[in-house]
Structure formats: C-alpha cells, structure tokens
Amino acid sequence: MSGPVAASDKDAHVEMLPMTAHYTANIDKGLSIDGNATASLTRQSANRWQYRFDVDSFIADIRESARFRWSGQTVSPDTYRYSLEGWMISDRHRSLTFNWADDRVTGRYEGTPVDLSLPENALGPMTYQIQLKQDLKKGLQEMSYQVVAEGRMDDDRFAVRGEEVLDSRLGELNTIKVEKVRAPEKKRETYLWFAPEWDYMLVRLVQVAKDGTRYEVHLTEATVNGETVTARPTP
C-alpha cells in the first residue's frame, strides 16, 4: 500500500482507492443498542464515485449514500440520500441534490424543504468524510470545510491530535487521531482514528452528544483496492 503524500505537497493530486469495511456500531443512551455497519467506496465511472454507509440493528436500520466527483484534489458532491427506519423510532428521510451549474443545493431534510446557495468547494453530510481522508493523505494537520447540514451551511473544522496504536479486532494498527473541533460550550465530542498504512481507512469513531449519548464504531474487517487490511507485524 502506498504511503501518504509529503506534507509539503499540499497541491498534489492523490489517488482514490475503492474499499469495503465492516464495523460494529454501538449507541449507548441508557439502553445499549448494538448493530453492524458496512461502508463502501466504489468507482462508478472515470471520475465519479459512490460512498455508502449502512447500519443494521435490532432497533433500527440506516441507509446512507452519496455520489460525487473526484478531481484528484477536491470532492464535488452530486447527490445525498439518507433513511432511518426502525422499531419504536420515528422514520427519518433526507435528500440533497447539488446543482453546480446554478450554485444551488436543493432537497428535503425530514420533511422540510432545503434550498441554499452553494459556495465553491462545499461538501455534503458524507462527502466531507472523503475529503478529510484525502487531505490527511497530503499531510494536512488542520482542515476546514463548508458542509450542508440540517438544512443550513456549517463550517466544520478538524485537527490532527497525534498518533496512536489501536488494539483493534484485526490486531494492532497504527493510526492518526483526528478531532472535530468545536467551541467548549457545544458540549459535543467527535474523535476519529485513521490507518495511514491502509489508505487512511477509518478504524474507530467515538461521538458523544450533548445529552451524553455515546456512539461508537469499530472496524472488524476491510479491504482496500482488493487487498485485505491486516495488523502491523509483531516485532
């Protein structure tokens, strides 16, 4: 697996590789809810890709997908779709279409119409994750994105917080820890761990909401460009 692009080469084109990853997903809000999640990144044509993230659990199922274009430096989202359906949970549906010719993003967010001006290099609810991974490959330590979220445009900031060796289901993996930077009064925390040796595969995610709900995702198995992800060699 090729290594990351040098940190000094901020304008370098980086390659995007197809991948499939399987995770355990856990939501702890008084009652623990366990499920399984699958993420996949597939090429649709020369420069068009699809990213999917599906969660299956006893309580609820989530289907989330985004189609986008990749220039070698930036992600340009085309569409975003989300549905949550479950037992004793209100169904939720979201859809966005990015019209770059008119610089508008339109759609619906859980029944509410969305119609926003589209800034240059704006991203969607999923595609910012792809851009983040590609920017980490280029050695960036701090990233800022304009992201369509809940019918508005947010400024999302991320910062690298160091390196960690995670004891995963696959064994020990070298990772880079990234934090979603928020103001202290927001009382929310999001941390992500990526494996540089495996095309910056997401290995772990921890998110704590302001009401104390804890959401965790842990990698169980994956392939990158057809190659099985494995732990680092034992010394």
Side-chain angles (χ1 to χ4, degrees), residues 19-24 36-39 168-171 173 201-203 218-224 227-230:
M19 68 85 184
T20 301
H22 299 279
Y23 299 90
T24 58
N36 296 303
T38 300
S168 73
R169 292 281 187 92
L170 304 176
L173 292 171
M201 169 75 66
L202 177 66
V203 176
H218 294 267
L219 182 69
T220 58
E221 59 178 310
T223 60
V224 177
E227 186 176 354
T228 301
V229 174
T230 57

Side-chain angles (χ1 to χ4, degrees), residues 18 31 44 49 51 66-67 103 115 119 128 148 158 168 185 217 231:
L31 174 66
Q44 304 293 294
W49 293 75
Y51 180 43
R67 294 179 183 271
D103 294 329
D115 188 351
Y128 81 86
V148 181
F158 297 86
S168 73
E185 64 270 17
V217 168

Side-chain angles (χ1 to χ4, degrees), residues 57-230:
S57 73
F58 175 73
I59 299 296
D61 296 333
I62 297 173
R63 301 289 178 261
E64 194 173 18
S65 66
R67 294 179 183 271
F68 64 93
R69 287 166 289 154
W70 172 244
S71 69
Q73 290 189 18
T74 57
V75 169
S76 297
D78 290 325
T79 62
Y80 169 75
R81 301 290 184 267
Y82 173 96
S83 69
L84 180 151
E85 298 178 352
W87 178 63
M88 298 182 66
I89 294 177
S90 299
D91 292 352
R92 301 175 186 177
H93 298 276
R94 305 164 191 169
S95 64
L96 296 171
T97 298
F98 294 78
N99 188 335
W100 293 100
D102 295 332
D103 294 329
R104 307 293 299 180
V105 55
T106 58
R108 299 189 72 82
Y109 182 89
E110 296 175 13
T112 302
V114 176
D115 188 351
L116 300 171
S117 176
L118 195 55
E120 185 179 4
N121 296 328
L123 297 165
M126 292 186 79
T127 44
Y128 81 86
Q129 301 169 27
I130 302 297
Q131 187 69 57
L132 172 62
K133 185 172 81 166
Q134 298 302 98
D135 287 341
L136 289 172
K137 290 183 190 181
K138 294 192 287 186
L140 273 65
Q141 298 293 300
E142 296 183 353
M143 291 71 66
S144 180
Y145 309 116
Q146 289 186 289
V147 180
V148 181
E150 299 183 11
R152 65 178 186 272
M153 200 68 67
D154 284 352
D155 290 319
D156 288 354
R157 296 188 298 127
F158 297 86
V160 174
R161 296 308 190 202
E163 300 179 359
E164 288 188 17
V165 177
L166 286 187
D167 187 11
S168 73
R169 292 281 187 92
L170 304 176
E172 291 188 341
L173 292 171
N174 297 319
T175 68
I176 290 179
K177 183 180 181 180
V178 176
E179 179 185 5
K180 184 173 183 179
V181 181
R182 296 184 174 93
E185 64 270 17
K186 294 296 184 181
K187 297 182 180 180
R188 295 180 63 190
E189 298 178 3
T190 301
Y191 293 96
L192 308 97
W193 288 259
F194 298 90
E197 295 168 14
W198 294 101
D199 198 49
Y200 287 79
M201 169 75 66
L202 177 66
V203 176
R204 183 188 182 198
L205 179 149
V206 173
Q207 183 167 290
V208 181
K210 58 184 178 182
D211 65 354
T213 300
R214 186 179 181 89
Y215 174 65
E216 292 199 35
V217 168
H218 294 267
L219 182 69
T220 58
E221 59 178 310
T223 60
V224 177
N225 205 26
E227 186 176 354
T228 301
V229 174
T230 57

